[in-house]
Each structure stands twice: as structure tokens, then as C-alpha cells.
Amino acid sequence: NAGVMQNPRHLVRRRGQEARLRCSPMKGHSHVYWYRQLPEEGLKFMVYLQKENIIDESGMPKERFSAEFPKEGPSILRIQQVVRGDSAAYFCASSPPLQGVQETQYFGPGTRLLVL
Amino acid sequence: SQQGEEDPQALSIQEGENATMNCSYKTSINNLQWYRQNSGRGLVHLILIRSNEREKHSGRLRVTLDTSKKSSSLLITASRAADTASYFCATDGGGAQKLVFGQGTRLTINP
């Protein structure tokens, strides 16, 4: 059973370009979460999605950031017109269908975005 | 505001010693989880403890939870060089589906 997969693992963009980060959850998991980690800091929640639905986007910046989890295919985190402050590690996590309370989230290896 | 806060921020011990890390949080929770992150890598789930549990063991790991003090501790016994990593606690904030992480404890095991 493959774990959470993210690609690319490293992404370099120039200011103003778009970054697209992909996440394939573990088999059987229908819930996806995106987190951002700045150097020497903990992870900060960005967005929680189920198939074709955004459940909680309270951690997403209001502009330039969007996320989707289509019926088919991976979840995508899209950052438009990147700026240097977007440089960070972006982690995706997945969990099985929830049964009332928080279940364990399993993390992918992350995508390290560098904006030049 | 930061929900979970670990202390110490950094810990350096000799191989074979025990390492204890603490985590404090602010709101009520349903459960608390500990994760390990090796430098430049993703997070590995270590253990989940529910709010009605006080202690949990997994191999060389021992986690305690004191909901009255809103704190948890992670003990790693008989440490090994391979335990060198950052350790994070994460809470669910009392029902939200997002995890709230602390800043982490950077643990270094010296051979």
C-alpha cells in the first residue's frame, strides 16, 4: 500500500510564475489536507478537502492560492504569481473516512518550493 | 496563535540516554498526536493519544497526556543516533479536522 505521494519533490519558480503541487492520497483515503512549513517552524494548516469539496480553507491566503481535489486524479495546490515569501515546504496529508473524531493523518514527503 | 508549544526547543543527549519532550496546548482536544521529521523530509506519525487516555506506549516511546494541565510529554528511552530528528506535537483543536502543530523540539543524539 503506497503512502501519500507528492510531486514534484522540488520546484523552482521565478517571481510571477505559477506553481502547481500535486498530491495523491493513500489508497482508501478520501480526505486530503495541505500544510505549509517555513524553515525552522512547525506546519501550518492551509486547507482540508474531500472529493470535489473544499471543507475548510481557513488557512489559505485569500489571494493567489487555490486547491482542488477532483473526482478523478490527485489533489492540486495552485499558487499563482508566486512571490519569494511563498518559498516553503508544502506537505499533503490524507486520512481515511472520519468516524466522528480526528483520525491519524499520514503525510507525504513534501514539495519544496523555491521562488527566485 | 500557536496552539501547541514544545519545550525544549532543542535537546542534545548522549546515545543510550532517555529523551523527554513536552508539549502544551491551549484549547480542549479530542486527541493529540506526535510526529517525527528528519531533516528535509516528511513527517512520520509516531503515536496518537485520545483525551480519555493518560498514557500510551509504543516500543521505546511513552506518551502521557494531562488534560487538566493541557500538556503532553513524549519519552524516548534508550536513545539511538537514528532518533535524531525534530519532534512535533499536533492537536485537533477540539473537533476540527485540521491539525495544529507546535514549533517542534530538535533532538540530537550524540554517539
Side-chain angles (χ1 to χ4, degrees), chain B residues 47-106:
Chain B
I47 199 163
L48 179 152
I49 185 166
R50 300 205 185 274
S51 59
N52 60 354
E53 298 175 308
R54 291 296 167 260
E55 188 172 310
K56 204 163 182 179
H57 296 255
S58 176
R60 293 184 296 113
L61 305 181
R62 173 177 168 253
V63 169
T64 63
L65 179 63
D66 186 337
T67 53
S68 67
K69 296 181 179 178
K70 291 187 168 61
S71 68
S72 173
S73 68
L74 170 66
L75 168 67
I76 303 175
T77 60
S79 63
R80 305 168 182 169
D83 295 329
T84 294
S86 291
Y87 291 81
F88 296 91
C89 69
T91 61
D92 66 343
Q97 302 311 323
K98 57 189 177 187
L99 291 177
V100 182
F101 286 84
Q103 300 277 61
T105 293
R106 291 185 298 282

Short mmCIF file of all heavy atoms in Angstrom, two decimals, chain B residues 47-106:
data_model
loop_
_atom_site.label_atom_id
_atom_site.label_comp_id
_atom_site.label_asym_id
_atom_site.label_seq_id
_atom_site.Cartn_x
_atom_site.Cartn_y
_atom_site.Cartn_z
N ILE B 47 2.55 8.37 17.29
CA ILE B 47 1.57 7.87 18.25
C ILE B 47 0.42 8.86 18.40
O ILE B 47 0.62 10.07 18.27
CB ILE B 47 2.26 7.60 19.61
CG1 ILE B 47 1.44 6.66 20.49
CG2 ILE B 47 2.59 8.89 20.34
CD1 ILE B 47 2.25 6.05 21.63
N LEU B 48 -0.77 8.36 18.62
CA LEU B 48 -1.95 9.17 18.87
C LEU B 48 -2.49 8.79 20.24
O LEU B 48 -2.64 7.60 20.53
CB LEU B 48 -3.01 8.94 17.78
CG LEU B 48 -4.34 9.69 17.88
CD1 LEU B 48 -4.94 9.89 16.48
CD2 LEU B 48 -5.35 8.98 18.76
N ILE B 49 -2.78 9.79 21.05
CA ILE B 49 -3.36 9.53 22.36
C ILE B 49 -4.67 10.31 22.45
O ILE B 49 -4.73 11.50 22.11
CB ILE B 49 -2.38 9.89 23.50
CG1 ILE B 49 -2.96 9.50 24.86
CG2 ILE B 49 -1.98 11.36 23.47
CD1 ILE B 49 -1.92 9.50 25.99
N ARG B 50 -5.72 9.63 22.87
CA ARG B 50 -7.03 10.26 22.93
C ARG B 50 -7.21 10.96 24.28
O ARG B 50 -6.53 10.65 25.26
CB ARG B 50 -8.13 9.24 22.68
CG ARG B 50 -7.99 8.58 21.31
CD ARG B 50 -9.28 8.03 20.77
NE ARG B 50 -9.09 7.32 19.52
CZ ARG B 50 -9.09 7.89 18.32
NH1 ARG B 50 -9.23 9.19 18.20
NH2 ARG B 50 -8.92 7.16 17.23
N SER B 51 -8.16 11.85 24.33
CA SER B 51 -8.33 12.71 25.51
C SER B 51 -8.72 11.91 26.75
O SER B 51 -8.52 12.38 27.88
CB SER B 51 -9.36 13.80 25.25
OG SER B 51 -10.61 13.22 24.92
N ASN B 52 -9.26 10.71 26.56
CA ASN B 52 -9.65 9.90 27.73
C ASN B 52 -8.54 8.92 28.13
O ASN B 52 -8.75 8.08 29.00
CB ASN B 52 -10.95 9.15 27.46
CG ASN B 52 -10.84 8.20 26.28
OD1 ASN B 52 -9.83 8.18 25.58
ND2 ASN B 52 -11.87 7.40 26.07
N GLU B 53 -7.39 9.04 27.48
CA GLU B 53 -6.25 8.21 27.84
C GLU B 53 -5.22 9.05 28.59
O GLU B 53 -5.07 10.25 28.31
CB GLU B 53 -5.62 7.60 26.58
CG GLU B 53 -6.57 6.69 25.82
CD GLU B 53 -5.97 6.20 24.52
OE1 GLU B 53 -5.49 7.03 23.72
OE2 GLU B 53 -5.97 4.96 24.30
N ARG B 54 -4.48 8.42 29.47
CA ARG B 54 -3.47 9.15 30.25
C ARG B 54 -2.06 8.78 29.85
O ARG B 54 -1.12 9.56 30.01
CB ARG B 54 -3.67 8.88 31.74
CG ARG B 54 -4.93 9.49 32.30
CD ARG B 54 -4.88 11.01 32.24
NE ARG B 54 -6.18 11.60 32.48
CZ ARG B 54 -6.97 12.05 31.50
NH1 ARG B 54 -6.61 11.95 30.24
NH2 ARG B 54 -8.14 12.59 31.79
N GLU B 55 -1.91 7.56 29.31
CA GLU B 55 -0.58 7.10 28.95
C GLU B 55 -0.69 6.09 27.84
O GLU B 55 -1.66 5.31 27.78
CB GLU B 55 0.10 6.48 30.18
CG GLU B 55 1.56 6.14 30.00
CD GLU B 55 2.21 5.72 31.31
OE1 GLU B 55 2.05 6.44 32.30
OE2 GLU B 55 2.87 4.67 31.33
N LYS B 56 0.32 6.11 26.98
CA LYS B 56 0.32 5.14 25.89
C LYS B 56 1.77 4.78 25.55
O LYS B 56 2.66 5.63 25.63
CB LYS B 56 -0.38 5.74 24.66
CG LYS B 56 -0.94 4.72 23.71
CD LYS B 56 -1.95 5.37 22.79
CE LYS B 56 -2.58 4.35 21.87
NZ LYS B 56 -3.57 4.95 20.97
N HIS B 57 1.98 3.53 25.19
CA HIS B 57 3.33 3.05 24.88
C HIS B 57 3.36 2.53 23.45
O HIS B 57 2.38 1.94 22.97
CB HIS B 57 3.73 1.93 25.83
CG HIS B 57 3.83 2.36 27.25
ND1 HIS B 57 5.02 2.55 27.91
CD2 HIS B 57 2.86 2.63 28.16
CE1 HIS B 57 4.78 2.91 29.16
NE2 HIS B 57 3.50 2.96 29.34
N SER B 58 4.53 2.70 22.82
CA SER B 58 4.76 2.09 21.52
C SER B 58 6.25 1.87 21.39
O SER B 58 7.00 2.81 21.14
CB SER B 58 4.24 2.98 20.40
OG SER B 58 4.54 2.42 19.13
N GLY B 59 6.70 0.64 21.58
CA GLY B 59 8.12 0.34 21.53
C GLY B 59 8.88 1.15 22.57
O GLY B 59 8.59 1.08 23.77
N ARG B 60 9.85 1.95 22.13
CA ARG B 60 10.64 2.77 23.06
C ARG B 60 9.99 4.12 23.36
O ARG B 60 10.58 4.95 24.04
CB ARG B 60 12.03 3.00 22.46
CG ARG B 60 12.89 1.73 22.35
CD ARG B 60 14.30 2.04 21.84
NE ARG B 60 14.29 2.57 20.48
CZ ARG B 60 14.64 3.80 20.16
NH1 ARG B 60 15.01 4.67 21.10
NH2 ARG B 60 14.60 4.20 18.90
N LEU B 61 8.80 4.31 22.85
CA LEU B 61 8.10 5.57 23.07
C LEU B 61 7.06 5.44 24.18
O LEU B 61 6.36 4.44 24.26
CB LEU B 61 7.38 6.02 21.78
CG LEU B 61 8.21 6.13 20.52
CD1 LEU B 61 7.33 6.59 19.36
CD2 LEU B 61 9.37 7.08 20.71
N ARG B 62 7.00 6.50 24.99
CA ARG B 62 5.96 6.57 26.01
C ARG B 62 5.39 7.99 25.98
O ARG B 62 6.12 8.96 26.08
CB ARG B 62 6.53 6.27 27.39
CG ARG B 62 5.54 6.49 28.53
CD ARG B 62 6.16 6.09 29.86
NE ARG B 62 5.34 6.56 30.99
CZ ARG B 62 5.66 7.57 31.79
NH1 ARG B 62 6.80 8.22 31.62
NH2 ARG B 62 4.87 7.93 32.78
N VAL B 63 4.08 8.08 25.80
CA VAL B 63 3.41 9.37 25.75
C VAL B 63 2.45 9.48 26.92
O VAL B 63 1.74 8.52 27.23
CB VAL B 63 2.64 9.53 24.42
CG1 VAL B 63 1.73 10.75 24.46
CG2 VAL B 63 3.61 9.67 23.27
N THR B 64 2.45 10.63 27.54
CA THR B 64 1.48 10.90 28.60
C THR B 64 0.65 12.11 28.19
O THR B 64 1.08 12.95 27.39
CB THR B 64 2.16 11.18 29.94
OG1 THR B 64 2.96 12.36 29.81
CG2 THR B 64 3.04 10.02 30.38
N LEU B 65 -0.54 12.17 28.74
CA LEU B 65 -1.45 13.29 28.46
C LEU B 65 -2.12 13.70 29.76
O LEU B 65 -2.70 12.86 30.45
CB LEU B 65 -2.49 12.89 27.43
CG LEU B 65 -3.53 13.94 27.06
CD1 LEU B 65 -2.87 15.15 26.41
CD2 LEU B 65 -4.60 13.37 26.14
N ASP B 66 -2.03 14.98 30.07
CA ASP B 66 -2.70 15.53 31.24
C ASP B 66 -3.63 16.64 30.76
O ASP B 66 -3.21 17.77 30.51
CB ASP B 66 -1.67 16.09 32.23
CG ASP B 66 -2.29 16.55 33.54
OD1 ASP B 66 -3.50 16.87 33.56
OD2 ASP B 66 -1.57 16.61 34.54
N THR B 67 -4.90 16.31 30.60
CA THR B 67 -5.84 17.28 30.04
C THR B 67 -6.14 18.41 31.02
O THR B 67 -6.51 19.50 30.59
CB THR B 67 -7.15 16.59 29.63
OG1 THR B 67 -7.66 15.84 30.73
CG2 THR B 67 -6.93 15.67 28.45
N SER B 68 -5.96 18.18 32.32
CA SER B 68 -6.19 19.25 33.29
C SER B 68 -5.13 20.34 33.17
O SER B 68 -5.40 21.51 33.40
CB SER B 68 -6.22 18.69 34.71
OG SER B 68 -4.95 18.21 35.08
N LYS B 69 -3.92 19.93 32.79
CA LYS B 69 -2.83 20.89 32.59
C LYS B 69 -2.63 21.24 31.13
O LYS B 69 -1.75 22.04 30.80
CB LYS B 69 -1.53 20.32 33.17
CG LYS B 69 -1.54 20.11 34.66
CD LYS B 69 -0.22 19.56 35.16
CE LYS B 69 -0.24 19.37 36.67
NZ LYS B 69 1.02 18.78 37.18
N LYS B 70 -3.42 20.61 30.27
CA LYS B 70 -3.28 20.83 28.83
C LYS B 70 -1.82 20.61 28.40
O LYS B 70 -1.19 21.49 27.79
CB LYS B 70 -3.76 22.21 28.43
CG LYS B 70 -5.28 22.39 28.54
CD LYS B 70 -5.72 23.73 27.98
CE LYS B 70 -7.22 23.80 27.82
NZ LYS B 70 -7.97 23.65 29.07
N SER B 71 -1.31 19.44 28.74
CA SER B 71 0.07 19.15 28.39
C SER B 71 0.25 17.68 28.09
O SER B 71 -0.52 16.82 28.55
CB SER B 71 1.01 19.58 29.52
OG SER B 71 0.80 18.78 30.65
N SER B 72 1.30 17.40 27.33
CA SER B 72 1.66 16.03 26.97
C SER B 72 3.18 15.93 26.99
O SER B 72 3.88 16.92 26.82
CB SER B 72 1.13 15.70 25.57
OG SER B 72 1.59 14.43 25.14
N SER B 73 3.66 14.72 27.20
CA SER B 73 5.10 14.51 27.12
C SER B 73 5.38 13.28 26.27
O SER B 73 4.58 12.34 26.22
CB SER B 73 5.70 14.33 28.51
OG SER B 73 5.26 13.11 29.08
N LEU B 74 6.50 13.32 25.58
CA LEU B 74 6.99 12.19 24.79
C LEU B 74 8.32 11.78 25.37
O LEU B 74 9.24 12.59 25.45
CB LEU B 74 7.15 12.58 23.32
CG LEU B 74 7.86 11.57 22.42
CD1 LEU B 74 7.03 10.30 22.27
CD2 LEU B 74 8.15 12.17 21.04
N LEU B 75 8.42 10.53 25.77
CA LEU B 75 9.67 9.99 26.30
C LEU B 75 10.20 8.95 25.32
O LEU B 75 9.46 8.04 24.92
CB LEU B 75 9.42 9.34 27.66
CG LEU B 75 10.56 8.46 28.22
CD1 LEU B 75 11.78 9.32 28.57
CD2 LEU B 75 10.10 7.69 29.46
N ILE B 76 11.44 9.11 24.92
CA ILE B 76 12.12 8.11 24.10
C ILE B 76 13.19 7.48 24.98
O ILE B 76 14.10 8.15 25.46
CB ILE B 76 12.79 8.74 22.86
CG1 ILE B 76 11.76 9.50 22.04
CG2 ILE B 76 13.47 7.66 22.01
CD1 ILE B 76 12.37 10.27 20.85
N THR B 77 13.07 6.19 25.21
CA THR B 77 14.04 5.51 26.07
C THR B 77 15.17 4.92 25.24
O THR B 77 15.01 4.64 24.05
CB THR B 77 13.36 4.38 26.87
OG1 THR B 77 12.81 3.43 25.94
CG2 THR B 77 12.25 4.93 27.75
N ALA B 78 16.32 4.78 25.89
CA ALA B 78 17.49 4.15 25.25
C ALA B 78 17.71 4.73 23.86
O ALA B 78 17.68 4.02 22.86
CB ALA B 78 17.31 2.65 25.18
N SER B 79 17.94 6.03 23.81
CA SER B 79 18.01 6.73 22.52
C SER B 79 19.12 6.19 21.63
O SER B 79 20.14 5.66 22.09
CB SER B 79 18.21 8.22 22.75
OG SER B 79 19.45 8.45 23.41
N ARG B 80 18.89 6.34 20.32
CA ARG B 80 19.83 5.91 19.30
C ARG B 80 20.13 7.07 18.38
O ARG B 80 19.35 8.01 18.27
CB ARG B 80 19.23 4.76 18.48
CG ARG B 80 18.76 3.58 19.29
CD ARG B 80 17.92 2.65 18.45
NE ARG B 80 17.41 1.52 19.23
CZ ARG B 80 16.49 0.67 18.79
NH1 ARG B 80 15.98 0.82 17.59
NH2 ARG B 80 16.08 -0.32 19.56
N ALA B 81 21.25 7.00 17.69
CA ALA B 81 21.61 8.07 16.75
C ALA B 81 20.51 8.31 15.73
O ALA B 81 20.25 9.45 15.33
CB ALA B 81 22.93 7.73 16.06
N ALA B 82 19.82 7.25 15.34
CA ALA B 82 18.76 7.36 14.35
C ALA B 82 17.53 8.12 14.87
O ALA B 82 16.65 8.49 14.09
CB ALA B 82 18.31 5.96 13.89
N ASP B 83 17.48 8.37 16.16
CA ASP B 83 16.37 9.15 16.72
C ASP B 83 16.56 10.65 16.51
O ASP B 83 15.66 11.44 16.80
CB ASP B 83 16.23 8.88 18.23
CG ASP B 83 15.83 7.44 18.54
OD1 ASP B 83 15.12 6.84 17.70
OD2 ASP B 83 16.23 6.93 19.60
N THR B 84 17.73 11.04 16.03
CA THR B 84 17.99 12.45 15.75
C THR B 84 16.98 12.96 14.73
O THR B 84 16.91 12.45 13.62
CB THR B 84 19.42 12.65 15.22
OG1 THR B 84 20.35 12.31 16.26
CG2 THR B 84 19.65 14.08 14.78
N ALA B 85 16.20 13.95 15.12
CA ALA B 85 15.12 14.47 14.28
C ALA B 85 14.44 15.61 15.03
O ALA B 85 14.78 15.92 16.17
CB ALA B 85 14.10 13.37 13.97
N SER B 86 13.46 16.21 14.37
CA SER B 86 12.57 17.16 15.05
C SER B 86 11.28 16.44 15.40
O SER B 86 10.79 15.62 14.62
CB SER B 86 12.27 18.36 14.15
OG SER B 86 13.40 19.16 13.98
N TYR B 87 10.77 16.73 16.56
CA TYR B 87 9.56 16.07 17.05
C TYR B 87 8.48 17.13 17.27
O TYR B 87 8.73 18.16 17.91
CB TYR B 87 9.85 15.30 18.33
CG TYR B 87 10.73 14.11 18.09
CD1 TYR B 87 12.12 14.26 17.99
CD2 TYR B 87 10.19 12.84 17.93
CE1 TYR B 87 12.94 13.18 17.73
CE2 TYR B 87 11.01 11.75 17.68
CZ TYR B 87 12.37 11.93 17.57
OH TYR B 87 13.18 10.86 17.31
N PHE B 88 7.30 16.86 16.73
CA PHE B 88 6.20 17.80 16.80
C PHE B 88 4.99 17.16 17.47
O PHE B 88 4.68 15.99 17.19
CB PHE B 88 5.77 18.25 15.40
CG PHE B 88 6.80 19.02 14.64
CD1 PHE B 88 7.70 18.37 13.81
CD2 PHE B 88 6.87 20.39 14.74
CE1 PHE B 88 8.66 19.08 13.11
CE2 PHE B 88 7.82 21.12 14.04
CZ PHE B 88 8.72 20.45 13.22
N CYS B 89 4.32 17.94 18.30
CA CYS B 89 3.01 17.51 18.76
C CYS B 89 1.97 18.24 17.92
O CYS B 89 2.22 19.34 17.41
CB CYS B 89 2.80 17.78 20.24
SG CYS B 89 2.66 19.53 20.70
N ALA B 90 0.83 17.62 17.78
CA ALA B 90 -0.25 18.22 16.99
C ALA B 90 -1.58 17.89 17.65
O ALA B 90 -1.81 16.74 18.04
CB ALA B 90 -0.22 17.71 15.55
N THR B 91 -2.43 18.88 17.77
CA THR B 91 -3.74 18.67 18.36
C THR B 91 -4.82 18.92 17.32
O THR B 91 -4.58 19.53 16.28
CB THR B 91 -3.97 19.62 19.54
OG1 THR B 91 -3.88 20.98 19.07
CG2 THR B 91 -2.93 19.42 20.63
N ASP B 92 -6.03 18.44 17.65
CA ASP B 92 -7.14 18.62 16.73
C ASP B 92 -8.00 19.81 17.10
O ASP B 92 -9.01 20.06 16.48
CB ASP B 92 -8.00 17.35 16.68
CG ASP B 92 -8.70 17.10 18.01
OD1 ASP B 92 -8.30 17.68 19.04
OD2 ASP B 92 -9.65 16.30 18.03
N GLY B 93 -7.60 20.52 18.12
CA GLY B 93 -8.34 21.72 18.49
C GLY B 93 -9.76 21.46 18.91
O GLY B 93 -10.62 22.32 18.77
N GLY B 94 -10.04 20.26 19.39
CA GLY B 94 -11.37 20.00 19.93
C GLY B 94 -12.43 19.67 18.91
O GLY B 94 -13.62 19.91 19.13
N GLY B 95 -12.02 19.10 17.81
CA GLY B 95 -13.04 18.65 16.87
C GLY B 95 -12.81 19.09 15.45
O GLY B 95 -13.40 18.54 14.53
N ALA B 96 -11.98 20.09 15.27
CA ALA B 96 -11.69 20.50 13.89
C ALA B 96 -10.88 19.40 13.22
O ALA B 96 -10.19 18.63 13.87
CB ALA B 96 -10.90 21.80 13.89
N GLN B 97 -11.00 19.30 11.93
CA GLN B 97 -10.30 18.25 11.21
C GLN B 97 -8.88 18.63 10.87
O GLN B 97 -8.13 17.82 10.36
CB GLN B 97 -11.09 17.89 9.94
CG GLN B 97 -12.50 17.44 10.22
CD GLN B 97 -12.57 16.38 11.31
OE1 GLN B 97 -11.72 15.53 11.41
NE2 GLN B 97 -13.59 16.46 12.15
N LYS B 98 -8.48 19.85 11.13
CA LYS B 98 -7.12 20.26 10.85
C LYS B 98 -6.27 20.02 12.08
O LYS B 98 -6.73 20.08 13.21
CB LYS B 98 -7.08 21.74 10.48
CG LYS B 98 -7.65 22.66 11.56
CD LYS B 98 -7.78 24.07 11.05
CE LYS B 98 -8.42 24.97 12.10
NZ LYS B 98 -8.69 26.33 11.55
N LEU B 99 -5.00 19.71 11.85
CA LEU B 99 -4.05 19.56 12.93
C LEU B 99 -3.37 20.89 13.19
O LEU B 99 -3.05 21.63 12.26
CB LEU B 99 -3.00 18.51 12.57
CG LEU B 99 -3.48 17.06 12.49
CD1 LEU B 99 -2.34 16.16 12.05
CD2 LEU B 99 -4.05 16.61 13.81
N VAL B 100 -3.15 21.16 14.47
CA VAL B 100 -2.45 22.38 14.87
C VAL B 100 -1.13 21.95 15.48
O VAL B 100 -1.11 21.27 16.52
CB VAL B 100 -3.28 23.21 15.87
CG1 VAL B 100 -2.54 24.49 16.20
CG2 VAL B 100 -4.65 23.53 15.28
N PHE B 101 -0.03 22.34 14.86
CA PHE B 101 1.29 21.90 15.26
C PHE B 101 2.00 22.93 16.12
O PHE B 101 1.80 24.14 15.99
CB PHE B 101 2.17 21.66 14.02
CG PHE B 101 1.83 20.42 13.27
CD1 PHE B 101 0.81 20.40 12.34
CD2 PHE B 101 2.56 19.25 13.48
CE1 PHE B 101 0.50 19.25 11.64
CE2 PHE B 101 2.25 18.09 12.79
CZ PHE B 101 1.22 18.08 11.87
N GLY B 102 2.88 22.40 16.99
CA GLY B 102 3.80 23.27 17.70
C GLY B 102 5.03 23.53 16.84
O GLY B 102 5.12 23.09 15.69
N GLN B 103 5.97 24.26 17.44
CA GLN B 103 7.19 24.63 16.72
C GLN B 103 8.18 23.48 16.65
O GLN B 103 9.11 23.51 15.85
CB GLN B 103 7.87 25.81 17.41
CG GLN B 103 7.03 27.06 17.47
CD GLN B 103 7.09 27.86 16.19
OE1 GLN B 103 6.72 27.37 15.13
NE2 GLN B 103 7.58 29.08 16.27
N GLY B 104 8.01 22.49 17.50
CA GLY B 104 8.88 21.32 17.44
C GLY B 104 10.06 21.38 18.40
O GLY B 104 10.49 22.45 18.83
N THR B 105 10.56 20.21 18.74
CA THR B 105 11.79 20.06 19.51
C THR B 105 12.82 19.39 18.61
O THR B 105 12.55 18.31 18.06
CB THR B 105 11.58 19.19 20.76
OG1 THR B 105 10.73 19.87 21.68
CG2 THR B 105 12.91 18.89 21.44
N ARG B 106 13.98 20.02 18.47
CA ARG B 106 15.04 19.42 17.66
C ARG B 106 15.91 18.57 18.58
O ARG B 106 16.60 19.10 19.44
CB ARG B 106 15.87 20.50 16.97
CG ARG B 106 15.12 21.23 15.87
CD ARG B 106 16.02 22.22 15.14
NE ARG B 106 16.52 23.25 16.02
CZ ARG B 106 15.81 24.30 16.41
NH1 ARG B 106 14.55 24.46 16.03
NH2 ARG B 106 16.32 25.22 17.21
#
